[in-house]
Amino acid sequence: MTDMLKTITPIDGSVYVERPLASDAEIDAALERANKARVAWKATAIAERAALLTRAVDAFVSRKQEIATELTWQMGRPIAHSPFEVNGLEERARHMIAIAPEALADIDVGPKEGFHRFIRHEPLGVVFVVAPWNYPYLTAVNAIVPALMAGNAVVLKHSAQTPLCAERFNEAFAAAGLPEGVFQYLHLSHAGVERAVKDPRVDFVAFTGSVSGGHAIQRAASERFIGAGLELGGKDPAYVRADANLTHAVETLVDGAFFNAGQSCCGIERIYAHADVFDAFVEGFVAQAAAYKLGNPLDTETTLGPMVRVGAADLVRAQIADALAKGARALIDESAFPAAKAGTPYVAPQVLVDVDHSMEIMIEETFGPAVGIMKVTSDDQAVALMNDSHYGLTAAIFTTDEDAAIAIGDRVDTGTWFMNRCDYLDPALAWVGVKDSGRGCTLSRLGYEHLTRPKSFHLRIAV
């Protein structure tokens, strides 16, 4: 009997998608097609690759509302917010296509009499992309489009929660006329993923997911000399300095903490507010958080949908309970959110104060609509607390002093440092993490360096 993938929608707990998992023979056939297709694709001019991928982006965007609706069904994001992901995919894809000619151009190392010397960006071969459910298009496009633009073939394995996303990518590339085998997808079990990573026809793995998932990828690749890009989440902090514009800080940080039901790798999960503004900031933050409407994400009035599954919701509830047991105070009355019920993925937004780093809510990834706000008395204390984490994806400061923001940012262990914004990815900047947030780099010109290898040409032209 064929093993099946079943996607349970968090909206009502029903089965939304069923797909057969790829067999060993199907995995082998897909990797063989990719391995053959990469040869001609590497020889395809960058301008032609760009034209094909631009058509694919056009085809994808033309189906925005359909894609947004099924995305809501798969992972529960409010339908009012789901189209944003299509917009974000378009922004990132078009940027990486536009910068490819310059980023992938040969590097002239300078004149030397009698010689022609340069470094060429050589595609790695076959890139295996393993994508998550929380931002299923945005995380995947970070690797897929630059990998293809660099001349690699791509095989995508998407989350079992969002399998239709892989199929929509495939349909867009097919509509654009991408050559057969250059892009493929596989619905895989964990064993199937391990098999693909260990296969000698895979030359690089781009993984986004949990720390435990990252370790599994590392173990699978440990006997092979291939690279692995790992984005593994975070416990991202924000510091509200005494000179911050509080209205802006409140609006930005509430959205940064609760958008997508808090299920964002770079969402704000802990906040440190200076004592001079702490009370006013907390008051404004709670008022705005309490205005969210929790409910069915297919309702256009809903601003906070369910979490992806009951188990994820229970983890958030457990962290809140741990904090309360250790002396924290909850500032939002959950009874104001009747849709929030134990045993369901619907969780009310929560704001906790009187928190410290003995509590899980301040040190362990929450990935849900709950945030702790802690009072600090100095920049030094804020820096020490922000760095007191085994994660380091993004961190943010809210201040009117740019010089101070840069100086403080130099001291914070993070991949991206924001001033007066958060929970955003600029495709012109390198997307990186430190510590348990992972390694490697996607997007920007630097992202292409991780999807290619340098090949030196040393030509004696006078003999």
Side-chain angles (χ1 to χ4, degrees), residues 57-406:
V57 174
D58 293 341
F60 185 87
V61 172
S62 71
R63 302 174 64 185
K64 178 191 290 190
Q65 198 53 52
E66 172 193 354
I67 287 171
T69 300
E70 67 182 19
L71 182 56
T72 292
W73 273 103
Q74 288 174 95
M75 49 79 65
R77 183 184 303 138
I79 192 63
H81 300 160
S82 287
F84 138 85
E85 186 148 359
V86 179
N87 297 340
L89 178 145
E90 180 179 16
E91 178 192 25
R92 297 181 191 184
R94 294 200 194 282
H95 178 82
M96 294 307 290
I97 292 168
I99 68 171
E102 182 179 356
L104 296 170
D106 291 345
I107 302 170
D108 186 342
V109 299
K112 182 177 181 180
E113 187 175 355
F115 291 88
H116 181 201
R117 302 172 301 157
F118 61 92
I119 302 169
R120 179 156 288 171
H121 297 276
E122 187 86 352
L124 298 174
V126 176
V127 173
F128 182 45
V129 178
V130 183
W133 55 265
N134 63 318
Y135 283 95
Y137 289 113
L138 292 185
T139 51
V141 76
N142 290 354
I144 291 171
V145 167
L148 292 172
M149 279 303 304
N152 300 289
V154 169
V155 177
L156 170 65
K157 182 272 176 191
H158 222 301
S159 167
Q161 192 67 40
T162 47
L164 297 182
C165 297
E167 297 177 17
R168 300 301 165 256
F169 271 116
N170 191 60
E171 289 162 3
F173 288 128
L178 202 69
E180 182 181 0
V182 172
F183 175 87
Q184 299 170 84
Y185 71 90
L186 292 168
H187 297 310
L188 296 174
S189 64
H190 290 314
V193 171
E194 181 178 1
R195 178 184 177 88
V197 173
K198 290 181 174 181
D199 193 286
R201 290 165 292 190
V202 168
D203 301 289
F204 185 83
V205 182
F207 173 83
T208 304
S210 66
V211 173
S212 60
H215 281 302
I217 293 293
Q218 287 274 87
R219 285 193 295 271
S222 63
E223 295 182 5
R224 303 188 55 221
F225 297 117
I226 62 170
L230 306 172
E231 190 208 314
L232 308 178
K235 187 71 182 174
D236 292 6
Y239 171 34
V240 182
R241 208 162 176 256
D243 64 341
N245 178 322
L246 288 189
T247 299
H248 174 75
V250 166
E251 291 176 351
T252 305
L253 286 171
V254 169
D255 182 68
F258 297 124
F259 189 83
N260 206 39
Q263 299 168 127
S264 303
C265 296
C266 59
I268 294 299
E269 295 209 356
R270 52 196 172 110
I271 300 173
Y272 306 97
H274 195 278
D276 292 351
V277 296
F278 181 85
D279 290 341
F281 172 76
V282 170
E283 181 181 3
F285 192 98
V286 170
Q288 186 161 321
Y292 273 87
K293 181 178 179 181
L294 175 68
N296 188 320
L298 295 171
D299 181 349
T300 57
E301 299 299 313
T302 295
T303 53
L304 188 65
M307 295 189 64
V308 69
R309 60 182 65 92
V310 174
D314 286 344
L315 184 148
V316 176
R317 295 182 182 110
Q319 285 195 1
I320 293 171
D322 170 77
L324 295 176
K326 293 176 180 175
R329 288 187 295 124
L331 300 184
I332 292 183
D333 182 1
E334 291 190 15
S335 67
F337 297 86
K341 294 186 175 98
T344 78
Y346 289 85
V347 179
Q350 189 53 269
V351 180
L352 300 165
V353 293
D354 297 341
V355 292
D356 59 45
H357 281 213
S358 71
M359 302 171 184
E360 291 182 0
I361 195 80
M362 297 300 287
I363 57 172
E364 298 297 338
E365 189 168 28
T366 303
F367 223 59
V371 65
I373 307 177
M374 185 173 175
K375 185 184 295 184
V376 297
T377 58
S378 68
D379 293 345
D380 288 344
Q381 184 185 13
V383 168
L385 289 167
M386 283 191 282
N387 284 339
D388 184 27
S389 173
H390 50 88
Y391 291 105
L393 187 58
T394 79
I397 187 170
F398 287 76
T399 178
T400 55
D401 187 337
E402 182 181 358
D403 290 339
I406 294 172

